[in-house]
Amino acid sequence: MSQYLSPAKIGLLALVELYLQGAVPNDAIVPVVNFITSHLLDCNLGNPSPGRAERWKKANDTIKLTLSVHRFEELLGDFAAADRLPGRRLWDRFLEKLWGIDSLHALHDFFDRLPNTLARTKVELREMAERGEEPPPGILLSRNSPFGVFFRRAYLEFSLFMGDQDVAPAVSTDDIESLLEFQIEQTQKYGTRVPPEITADFQRLLKSSRVVPSLSHYLRSSFSDSWRSGGFPETFDSLHRYFDYTMQNRDRLFYQYALLNLAIVQSDFGCHREAVGTMLEAIATAKETKDTTCLNFALNWFFHFSRNHPDLVKDLADNSMLGSGKESLALLRAKAKETGMWILWSSALLSEAKLALNNGESISTAMESMVRSSQLIVERNMKAMLGPQTSLNIALWDRLGTTAMSNMMCDIFLRCHAQNSLFEDQLKLTCRVAGLVAGKGDFEKAFAKLEGIDPNALRSAKSHQYWQLYRGLLKLRRDLHQNNLESAEALLSQLLQNGPEDIEPDMVFIIDTFHVEALTRRLDYDAAFTKVDQLITKFREDNKDMSFRIRLLLMKVQIFDCTGRPEKGFTIAMRAASMAWRARLVSLLWQAIGALANILNSLGEFAAAEQLLIAILPRCLETDVAYTAGTLYSMLADARMGLAGEMTGRGKDDARTEMMGKVHRALDAAYKCFSAVEDVDKRCEIMAKKAAISGAEGKLVQAESCVDKYLGLWEEELTRKR
């Protein structure tokens, strides 16, 4: 059975011969050379950095080339032959050369000519000179060039193949295993599944040949595809069969790697308790066998797992060899540096930066770790780490309240680096962009961003679940803003079924905050207050991200305000503002100061409230969160209305008139912000304020116009609900 040669390879040899003989016209040279090199090497002259879709297309082209000669016809049929005879195409010359190999003798002659097309070595040239012979004319191939290496290997394989008495199959083992290796690389490196059309063509390729691929390759491919598709029984079956095979055949993979893969698969399928036990066994086995590489990866995985599921490893924390967060990361970083595991080293640095941000530590400390990781990524050309690096950069800019920088970082990654990164990173950053757009109020554009993701990449079960979840969260946010509480509660009933064992803790927290908002809009303040209190207690015990705790404190302040007792939240708002300032959570700082300004309004301290709001509003607008800006503008209008009231009867009519104009401008700005995010309740509230103020000023026409708009908003809402 041929390990390398196949009819497709002979076709490529014939095409190279045509090129050397000058039979390829000038306008066809680049397409022909590109076609040949793309099937010999992992490169493309027309597109040196192909995207994910282009890579799969190349694999499909390879399958089609192996199955049929029509792939050659598609390339050569559009070009005239070099002799320019009427009606003669380059495809005709190619067929003429193939038809010339019409016997075993002709096949031997074809391969015997291959060495004559190679450039002579210095020793051969010296011997030819001594014999008085001239070097052969025409184009000769360098022995180390891609074409030269191809010719030399084909000649060698043919010489070895002639000793085999079996009939040559239509497909070589090299073709099959190369395609399998490509599929495994794509599924494991980029986290995607094999497109269905390529799967169908590949199965047809296997059925049309007598070639049986290596069982190791086949089981790895089957395992990867089952894992990505979410097939729980098939994944475990393929995994056990694969490692049974590798251990029986003394492959380089050992028992600890089987345990490592098994724990990761168990975690992905929600079997977290089983994953803990399996990974601890993998760590112990790696220590016994002194397999530092496996041990470091296992410890790194266990650290991240313990951060996401602290309740499952709480009993192990005291006896763990990792210690607490900082000590464990320092250990992982040192071990990775010693063993030259650059990806693990970069991951540990990013984890240190993330831990510092979560704990509210110095921004400069986190930035130092991020810069060191970035330097390592650039020096070692680790393109796969650009996704986590960019995600952390975006989180940092978000905390500093510079949404424009976050948006720019997302755009740069999706335009320049997405094709070389895990699809999971691309998906998360695309969802992040959609969230930023939705924050400005453009929900249609946000949904369009999500719908624009490659459907084939979403065939992976985990990615599809994340995509559906984020899409559901955007729809839930829109329903809450539009006061469509029935639809929102139907969505919530589904989303609340997802716990920390199913989805990421960040997503669980977002669902919980939407649940509190839905309860608040239903005027069920007791249930909302109870849930917030429970979350605050839970997050304090688990030492969760400080931003989560600050958001919960602000929710508590808002509930007090909704119940007509805003002053009860003064201490909580001060604590939230202090925590946000220490952690440099700028966007939350503006919300906390806005809550303080609202409390000052309720206490009659209008001047102080106005000063606070005027100071923070320009910075708040930089965050591009329209709802927060609208809330602050509404509070500013309340403060200025209070100041205008204090001016009444004090001979300050001009100042009062000017202040009332500022009140209307603030209300108009608030209405614009709430209109952007489609919030019906807030728009009605603003219109009610404007109508009351206009009526008090004696501007009855303007007041009536505001009332009409108020009624129109409710009528529009009722029509939409029907």
Side-chain angles (χ1 to χ4, degrees):
M1 180 182 294
S2 174
Q3 296 291 319
Y4 184 75
L5 288 176
S6 65
K9 293 270 193 338
I10 295 175
L12 291 174
L13 290 170
L15 189 56
V16 175
E17 264 200 351
L18 283 178
Y19 170 71
L20 296 177
Q21 294 169 0
V24 178
N26 292 335
D27 58 341
I29 288 177
V30 172
V32 168
V33 172
N34 184 34
F35 177 83
I36 298 170
T37 53
S38 66
H39 288 286
L40 298 181
L41 305 172
D42 187 17
C43 71
N44 188 319
L45 299 181
N47 185 7
S49 301
R52 193 171 290 112
E54 286 78 8
R55 287 193 288 265
W56 284 119
K57 183 178 182 300
K58 179 186 173 183
N60 200 24
D61 288 344
T62 302
I63 295 175
K64 290 180 177 178
L65 179 72
T66 307
L67 287 173
S68 171
V69 75
H70 292 301
R71 190 69 187 89
F72 287 101
E73 184 178 7
E74 293 173 7
L75 170 72
L76 306 175
D78 295 334
F79 299 105
D83 50 24
R84 301 293 180 184
L85 292 176
R88 192 174 178 85
R89 316 299 296 174
L90 185 57
W91 167 243
D92 300 326
R93 292 296 308 273
F94 177 74
L95 287 180
E96 181 182 349
K97 181 165 286 291
L98 288 184
W99 287 340
I101 310 174
D102 55 2
S103 64
L104 186 61
H105 178 72
L107 182 65
H108 274 274
D109 286 345
F110 177 79
F111 278 95
D112 289 341
R113 291 198 304 269
L114 297 184
N116 299 331
T117 61
L118 300 174
R120 303 301 186 264
T121 63
K122 290 183 178 180
V123 175
E124 289 174 338
L125 288 174
R126 191 181 303 115
E127 291 175 353
M128 292 177 66
E130 291 174 356
R131 294 195 300 267
E133 299 177 1
E134 293 292 330
I139 303 175
L140 298 177
L141 297 175
S142 170
R143 290 178 174 269
N144 294 324
S145 68
F147 288 178
V149 171
F150 177 46
F151 270 46
R152 288 165 58 198
R153 182 174 181 184
Y155 180 74
L156 176 63
E157 291 285 345
F158 181 76
S159 302
L160 297 174
F161 173 66
M162 291 314 297
D164 189 348
Q165 299 302 316
D166 292 342
V167 179
V171 185
S172 67
T173 307
D174 179 76
D175 292 331
I176 296 293
E177 297 204 348
S178 295
L179 287 168
L180 275 173
E181 287 174 0
F182 174 78
Q183 293 178 15
I184 294 168
E185 179 195 19
Q186 295 299 303
T187 54
Q188 294 185 348
K189 184 177 180 181
Y190 300 106
T192 57
R193 291 183 63 194
V194 182
E197 60 275 8
I198 294 183
T199 302
D201 286 343
F202 184 71
Q203 292 299 325
R204 189 158 57 93
L205 181 64
L206 284 178
K207 290 178 181 178
S208 66
S209 67
R210 296 189 299 109
V211 175
V212 179
S214 162
L215 184 59
S216 173
H217 283 80
Y218 184 77
L219 289 177
R220 284 177 65 196
S221 175
S222 175
F223 162 69
S224 299
D225 191 63
S226 300
W227 183 9
R228 299 300 175 189
S229 66
F232 185 83
E234 296 85 355
T235 303
F236 279 93
D237 180 60
S238 297
L239 183 65
H240 284 292
R241 290 174 61 198
Y242 173 59
F243 282 105
D244 286 345
Y245 170 81
T246 54
M247 293 180 71
Q248 290 173 6
N249 289 272
R250 299 183 179 275
D251 211 332
R252 289 185 297 175
L253 298 172
F254 301 99
Y255 180 59
Q256 62 269 23
Y257 288 98
L259 294 171
L260 179 66
N261 281 273
L262 180 59
I264 294 172
V265 170
Q266 286 173 333
S267 177
D268 274 359
F269 283 106
C271 306
H272 298 299
R273 294 189 183 278
E274 293 84 350
V276 171
T278 305
M279 189 56 75
L280 288 175
E281 187 179 352
I283 292 173
T285 307
K287 288 171 63 179
E288 290 175 5
T289 58
K290 297 181 180 181
D291 190 340
T292 309
T293 302
C294 181
L295 179 61
N296 288 345
F297 274 115
L299 292 175
N300 182 59
W301 181 92
F302 200 82
F303 167 77
H304 289 287
F305 181 87
S306 64
R307 298 293 297 177
N308 290 334
H309 306 280
D311 53 322
L312 295 178
V313 297
K314 192 176 297 182
D315 298 336
L316 303 171
D318 297 334
N319 301 322
S320 174
M321 64 175 289
L322 286 175
S324 61
K326 288 187 177 180
E327 290 82 2
S328 61
L329 285 174
L331 172 65
L332 286 171
R333 178 162 44 83
K335 291 290 185 182
K337 187 176 180 179
E338 288 174 8
T339 55
M341 300 172 67
W342 312 119
I343 290 180
L344 185 59
W345 186 8
S346 174
S347 177
L349 288 169
L350 292 177
S351 296
E352 281 186 332
K354 187 175 181 179
L355 186 62
L357 292 176
N358 289 351
N359 294 337
E361 298 175 11
S362 170
I363 293 292
S364 58
T365 302
M367 185 65 80
E368 178 186 357
S369 297
M370 292 167 63
V371 170
R372 291 172 64 190
S373 172
S374 179
Q375 179 183 3
L376 191 61
I377 290 171
V378 172
E379 287 179 352
R380 301 294 172 179
N381 193 29
M382 298 185 298
K383 296 180 180 179
M385 290 300 297
L386 286 171
Q389 176 83 20
T390 305
S391 297
L392 197 56
N393 277 327
I394 291 167
L396 175 63
W397 291 121
D398 278 345
R399 285 171 177 259
L400 295 176
T402 52
T403 307
M405 291 295 296
S406 300
N407 207 355
M408 183 189 71
M409 294 292 294
C410 286
D411 193 43
I412 290 174
F413 176 83
L414 294 175
R415 287 175 180 267
C416 305
H417 306 302
Q419 60 191 11
N420 296 313
S421 300
L422 278 171
F423 174 72
E424 185 177 346
D425 295 328
Q426 180 186 350
L427 175 62
K428 288 183 177 180
L429 288 176
T430 303
C431 290
R432 178 63 190 146
V433 171
L436 293 173
V437 172
K440 298 178 183 179
D442 195 346
F443 286 98
E444 294 298 333
K445 186 176 179 181
F447 283 117
K449 290 280 185 184
L450 295 181
E451 297 295 339
I453 297 175
D454 180 17
N456 179 67
L458 289 175
R459 291 174 61 240
S460 172
K462 189 175 180 181
S463 299
H464 190 259
Q465 181 194 26
Y466 188 92
W467 179 82
Q468 281 190 320
L469 180 63
Y470 205 90
R471 195 172 183 277
L473 291 175
L474 286 184
K475 188 177 187 310
L476 177 57
R477 184 197 293 190
R478 191 176 197 180
D479 285 341
L480 289 173
H481 285 177
Q482 293 179 348
N483 206 35
N484 191 1
L485 298 182
E486 290 77 11
S487 175
E489 288 172 350
L491 268 175
L492 267 174
S493 65
Q494 299 177 40
L495 294 173
L496 287 171
Q497 297 176 18
N498 297 297
E501 65 279 358
D502 302 315
I503 57 177
E504 297 177 359
D506 293 359
M507 305 297 280
V508 175
F509 177 75
I510 293 173
I511 294 172
D512 287 333
T513 57
F514 281 142
H515 187 203
V516 173
E517 183 177 348
L519 292 173
T520 305
R521 289 177 180 265
R522 278 292 190 191
L523 307 182
D524 191 356
Y525 300 121
D526 289 337
F529 191 85
T530 302
K531 186 172 181 66
V532 170
D533 257 354
Q534 291 173 350
L535 290 173
I536 289 175
T537 304
K538 180 177 181 294
F539 284 2
R540 189 186 299 118
E541 292 174 354
D542 294 343
N543 195 25
K544 284 287 188 179
D545 190 343
M546 186 172 286
S547 66
F548 292 175
R549 288 179 277 166
I550 296 173
R551 290 180 190 277
L552 290 172
L553 292 176
L554 293 174
M555 286 182 197
K556 203 169 185 179
V557 174
Q558 184 185 8
I559 292 173
F560 281 128
D561 181 47
C562 292
T563 55
R565 292 178 290 179
E567 63 279 355
K568 290 196 66 174
F570 181 78
T571 305
I572 301 173
M574 286 295 296
R575 192 194 313 163
S578 176
M579 293 171 63
W581 171 251
R582 287 200 309 270
R584 295 299 187 269
L585 289 162
V586 177
S587 58
L588 293 179
L589 177 62
W590 307 145
Q591 295 181 40
I593 293 176
L596 286 172
N598 186 51
I599 295 171
L600 290 173
N601 279 336
S602 68
L603 297 174
E605 298 293 337
F606 303 116
E610 184 193 31
Q611 289 177 0
L612 286 176
L613 291 166
I614 288 175
I616 67 172
L617 257 169
R619 295 294 304 276
C620 179
L621 293 174
E622 293 178 0
T623 63
D624 282 341
V625 182
Y627 189 89
T628 303
T631 304
L632 295 181
Y633 273 122
S634 179
M635 293 176 184
L636 180 61
D638 293 343
R640 285 174 171 172
M641 190 65 197
L643 290 174
E646 292 177 351
M647 296 175 185
T648 305
R650 296 186 181 181
K652 299 180 179 179
D653 293 343
D654 292 341
R656 183 179 182 280
T657 302
E658 182 182 354
M659 186 60 69
M660 292 302 295
K662 291 181 178 179
V663 171
H664 282 289
R665 286 195 291 274
L667 288 174
D668 289 339
Y671 185 82
K672 182 179 179 181
C673 292
F674 290 132
S675 297
V677 296
E678 304 176 7
D679 195 299
V680 176
D681 281 354
K682 289 295 183 180
R683 281 189 287 172
C684 289
E685 179 185 324
I686 298 299
M687 281 296 107
K689 287 182 179 181
K690 285 181 68 69
I693 294 171
S694 298
E697 289 178 314
K699 301 177 181 178
L700 300 181
V701 176
Q702 187 174 347
E704 187 177 349
S705 174
C706 292
V707 171
D708 290 341
K709 186 173 286 189
Y710 177 92
L711 295 174
L713 287 171
W714 278 114
E715 184 66 29
E716 180 184 340
E717 176 65 15
L718 291 173
T719 303
R720 180 166 53 243
K721 286 183 178 179
R722 293 196 195 104

